[in-house]
């Protein structure tokens, strides 16, 4: 079964809007695990507009499943990952002021940087994933850099899904197959939701993990967190 990692950035966004500690990011993470999530994802940015570095340190000893820290590998981010030692780090090429991630790495252009980072994190026992588009060249150079996994940027799939789901998923199936043949695990994330998740999961039987935040937290406003996590996990059962 594909693992569900819940991205709790949006919970931190709500907290930061008023100050204080409501909602409690750490408690929400613990509850997500209690309700069945197999991992927690955080994406700290330099301006700490949602997840703060202090949140990541607080989560370090609390998370019992898998902690995935994603983000752009600036010096402070690399230092954070080295100190926290999460299960997984996901390298994302977003600018510091980006609202959300909107593209995968040009892994050939940035090969030296990525290769060096993968070596550093592997020495620390941290599984390393590189955020990529479906471009075969990007996946091939991610493998050359030594990545354990790639995370497929699924916004194009989500956008086209309501129009033509078979054509929408086709390049992702091919990209996932290439990654698998190159010896890497396959994760996926961005704009996945209760409408489009099951089909993606069925078409890529070897998909290892999905990271979902915005849609899941939005659904939880209506369904409740426990019911929402149960609903997302149901989408990941059938292969």
């Amino acid at each position: 079964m594909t693992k569900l990692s819940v991205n709790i950035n949006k919970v931190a966004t709500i907290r930061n809007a008023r100050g204080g500690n409501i909602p409690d990011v750490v408690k929400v993470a613990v509850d997500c695990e209690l309700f069945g999530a197999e991992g927690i994802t955080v994406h700290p940015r330099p301006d700490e507009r949602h997840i703060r570095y202090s949140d990541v340190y607080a989560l370090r000893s609390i998370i019992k499943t898998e902690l995935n820290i994603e983000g752009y590998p600036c010096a402070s981010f690399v230092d954070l990952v080295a100190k926290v030692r999460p299960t997984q780090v996901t390298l994302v090429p977003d600018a510091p002021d980006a609202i959300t991630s909107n593209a995968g790495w040009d892994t050939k252009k940035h090969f030296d940087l990525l290769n060096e980072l993968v070596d550093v994190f592997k020495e620390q026992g941290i599984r390393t994933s590189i955020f990529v588009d479906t471009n075969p060249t990007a996946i091939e150079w991610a493998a050359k850099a030594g990545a354990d996994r790639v995370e497929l940027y699924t916004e194009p799939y989500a956008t086209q899904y309501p129009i033509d789901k078979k054509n929408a998923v086709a390049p992702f199936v091919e990209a996932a197959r290439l990654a698998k043949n190159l010896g890497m695990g396959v994760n996926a994330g961005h704009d996945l939701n209760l409408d489009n998740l099951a089909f993606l999961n069925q078409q890529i039987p070897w998909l290892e993990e999905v990271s979902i935040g915005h849609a899941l937290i939005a659904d939880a406003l209506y369904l409740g967190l426990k019911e929402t996590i149960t609903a997302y996990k149901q989408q990941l059962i059938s292969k």
Side-chain angles (χ1 to χ4, degrees):
M1 179 175 167
T2 307
K3 291 182 177 181
L4 171 65
S5 185
V6 177
N7 186 319
I8 58 172
N9 273 32
K10 285 297 182 293
V11 178
T13 300
I14 297 171
R15 176 199 61 189
N16 295 352
R18 285 287 297 271
N21 197 40
I22 300 176
D24 185 329
V25 169
V26 173
K27 184 179 186 305
V28 171
V30 171
D31 287 342
C32 286
E33 290 185 309
L34 179 66
F35 299 149
E38 291 93 358
I40 300 297
T41 292
V42 290
H43 188 146
R45 287 187 165 87
D47 62 6
E48 297 192 325
R49 65 180 179 271
H50 31 62
I51 286 291
R52 300 168 181 154
Y53 278 37
S54 59
D55 294 326
V56 184
Y57 287 116
L59 289 166
R60 173 174 51 180
S61 61
I62 299 297
I63 299 303
K64 305 302 182 186
T65 55
E66 294 191 352
L67 177 60
N68 172 44
I69 304 178
E70 62 179 29
Y72 181 79
C74 61
S76 59
F77 178 88
V78 173
D79 180 63
L80 174 72
V81 172
K83 289 177 178 175
V84 173
R85 300 263 180 124
T87 308
Q88 177 175 269
V89 58
T90 301
L91 303 176
V92 182
D94 54 357
D97 60 347
I99 295 176
T100 185
S101 305
N102 56 19
W105 283 95
D106 181 337
T107 53
K108 183 176 181 180
K109 178 179 179 181
H110 298 285
F111 173 79
D112 289 341
L113 170 65
L114 295 171
N115 181 231
E116 179 181 350
L117 289 167
V118 169
D119 286 346
V120 168
F121 293 137
K122 278 190 172 183
E123 287 178 3
Q124 298 166 350
I126 303 168
R127 185 173 71 227
T128 305
S129 178
I130 296 178
F131 196 66
V132 295
D133 301 307
T134 56
N135 184 339
T137 300
I139 295 168
E140 290 166 357
W141 282 85
K144 291 178 182 179
D148 299 298
R149 296 186 183 182
V150 290
E151 179 174 333
L152 299 178
Y153 168 56
T154 49
E155 189 273 337
Y157 163 74
T159 299
Q160 193 177 358
Y161 177 86
I163 304 167
D164 187 340
K165 64 183 182 181
K166 289 185 177 179
N167 280 334
V169 82
F172 290 87
V173 174
E174 290 305 310
R177 182 175 292 114
L178 175 60
K180 179 184 177 184
N181 290 341
L182 291 171
M184 294 184 292
V186 180
N187 298 339
H190 205 90
D191 285 356
L192 296 176
N193 57 42
L194 289 174
D195 294 326
N196 58 41
L197 179 58
F199 185 68
L200 179 75
N201 188 58
Q202 290 161 6
Q203 299 303 305
I204 308 176
W206 58 94
L207 187 62
E208 298 203 44
E209 173 188 297
V210 292
S211 175
I212 304 177
H214 183 85
L216 189 151
I217 299 303
D219 288 334
L221 295 176
Y222 293 93
L223 303 176
L225 186 59
K226 181 177 181 179
E227 292 77 6
T228 298
I229 289 177
T230 299
Y232 273 87
K233 284 174 63 67
Q234 281 294 123
Q235 309 305 306
L236 298 172
I237 290 176
S238 59
K239 289 287 191 179

